[in-house]
Amino acid sequence: MARLRVGVLISGSGTNLQALIDDCARADAESEIVLVLSNRADAFGLARAQRAGLPQRAIDHEGYDSREAFEQALTEALEASGVELVCLAGFMRVLTARFVERWRDRLINIHPSLLPAFQGLDTHARAIEAGVRLAGCTVHFVRPEVDSGPIIVQAAVPVLPDDTVESLADRVLREEHRCLPLALRLIAQGRVSVVGERCVIDAAAPDGALINPAPGP
Ligand code: GRF
């Protein structure tokens, strides 16, 4: 069976990209990364893609006189590679409604919070400041409103009393690296459908809850 052709957009270190590369290297993988694009030529994620032997290139947003022209270049590169699903993995450019509609329900993003809580930037500092007991990450289909759209996968982690932004970010990032490949697999297996603004997913539900602080004597 042909594998789902995935394009990955990055802007930075690319650890989420690396998680996808590793998962697509498994024998039972049902998707393949056919193109990696970065809006920054210095993104270490491009080196990760090169090391994995994947087609990769920088399309620098500063080389275009409008968002639309930049996004047209993205779409042309993605379509030339036959991309069927676009994955934003640390891509730090806001996309216009035109691009989002062009790739509607074939465009996913990973965000380091339990959406709809903490949309936007600095999610871990804001979670600590708010005193929440659970933080986490979300993989969702992209909609024009930033960090919104039908939710596919989420993971929750405890916020610990001595957490710093760095320690919480590390804990969440580890779960991002599990959730993004999981979302890709579910989509590649045809087990995700979008009904209205929610996802219906044909998959087992986890058992048990994550309670913080842990109940006990
Ligand atoms: C991740 O924390 C992701 O949730 C956020 O940007 C970060 C990207 O990290 N959007 P990396 O480039 O995948 O390492």
Side-chain angles (χ1 to χ4, degrees):
M1 183 176 170
R3 292 185 174 189
L4 180 70
R5 298 175 64 85
V6 177
V8 184
L9 272 55
I10 62 168
S11 297
S13 59
T15 65
N16 275 290
L17 166 65
Q18 189 63 57
L20 293 178
I21 290 171
D22 297 343
D23 197 63
C24 289
R26 287 172 44 176
D28 63 347
E30 283 142 305
S31 52
E32 59 176 330
I33 299 170
V34 296
L35 181 64
V36 176
L37 295 176
S38 172
N39 65 302
R40 296 176 52 107
D42 64 350
F44 184 64
L46 289 175
R48 295 179 189 274
Q50 193 167 28
R51 189 170 58 198
L54 298 177
Q56 43 79 31
R57 62 181 274 213
I59 297 182
D60 185 343
H61 60 281
E62 293 179 351
Y64 298 85
D65 56 13
S66 71
R67 280 185 191 277
E68 288 71 15
F70 166 61
E71 293 175 351
Q72 184 57 29
L74 294 177
T75 289
E76 285 171 5
L78 291 164
E79 290 183 339
S81 295
V83 166
E84 298 167 299
L85 179 77
V86 181
C87 185
L88 307 179
F91 186 67
M92 302 310 279
R93 299 296 297 170
V94 174
L95 295 164
T96 65
R98 178 175 169 188
F99 183 91
V100 171
E101 290 309 320
R102 170 74 189 75
W103 293 94
R104 187 180 181 89
D105 294 344
R106 300 192 299 151
L107 175 62
I108 65 174
N109 180 50
I110 181 137
H111 179 76
S113 82
L114 291 172
L115 291 174
F118 305 117
Q119 293 169 317
L121 301 174
D122 304 322
T123 60
H124 305 310
R126 292 158 58 202
I128 291 170
E129 177 62 27
V132 297
R133 304 259 73 85
L134 297 175
C137 60
T138 302
V139 184
H140 63 95
F141 286 105
V142 176
R143 289 291 183 270
E145 302 76 28
V146 173
D147 299 329
S148 68
I151 291 171
I152 309 167
V153 176
Q154 290 188 305
V157 299
V159 180
L160 304 179
D162 58 349
D163 260 332
T164 62
V165 169
E166 291 71 26
S167 61
L168 179 55
D170 285 347
R171 191 172 310 119
V172 172
L173 195 59
R174 278 196 297 275
E175 299 311 319
E176 292 180 43
H177 297 163
R178 295 171 64 191
C179 289
L180 193 53
L182 171 59
L184 212 51
R185 281 181 173 265
L186 291 169
I187 293 169
Q189 292 163 6
R191 291 160 63 185
V192 180
S193 53
V194 180
V195 178
E197 283 305 298
R198 290 191 298 170
C199 288
V200 175
I201 300 182
D202 172 18
D207 56 356
L210 178 61
I211 301 175
N212 179 28

